[in-house]
Amino acid sequence: MKFAYVNLSLCLLNLLPVMSFDGGQLLYILLSRRFSSTTAEKTVNIVTFIALFPIAVLGFIILFNSDYNFSLLFVCGYIILSLILKNNRYF
């Protein structure tokens, strides 16, 4: 049962509208149908930064309550680095 909860958590994390995850790719595709690609990319970047804040706060709460669990903070670091190093390419 614990394995099912872990898989469900990974699925929900992957569906967040964050640029590097599948949810961000889906959001970009949906926005590209209606707007230009640059507008869609800027919108996804803004949504990513908005979604990143609660993830980072939750990561710090988990870190302070468990004293050693850095996993969610590593995910936030990955998202920030992928935003910085993407060099104007989306896919």
Side-chain angles (χ1 to χ4, degrees), residues 9-86:
S9 299
L10 286 173
C11 173
L12 293 176
L13 182 71
N14 197 23
L15 288 177
L16 286 174
V18 175
M19 189 242 355
S20 300
F21 298 156
D22 289 340
Q25 300 291 326
L26 179 64
L27 181 63
Y28 175 76
I29 290 169
L30 292 175
L31 288 173
S32 292
R33 289 183 173 191
R34 188 169 250 274
F35 305 107
S36 68
S37 62
T38 57
T39 304
E41 186 175 349
K42 287 179 184 179
T43 304
V44 172
N45 286 338
I46 291 170
V47 169
T48 297
F49 281 116
I50 291 171
L52 189 62
F53 181 73
I55 294 171
V57 170
L58 184 63
F60 279 113
I61 290 171
I62 291 172
L63 175 66
F64 291 137
N65 287 334
S66 67
D67 292 329
Y68 63 89
N69 192 348
F70 290 96
S71 59
L72 204 51
L73 290 177
F74 284 140
V75 169
C76 289
Y78 166 74
I79 295 169
I80 291 170
L81 281 175
S82 67
L83 281 173
I84 292 171
L85 299 175
K86 73 177 185 172

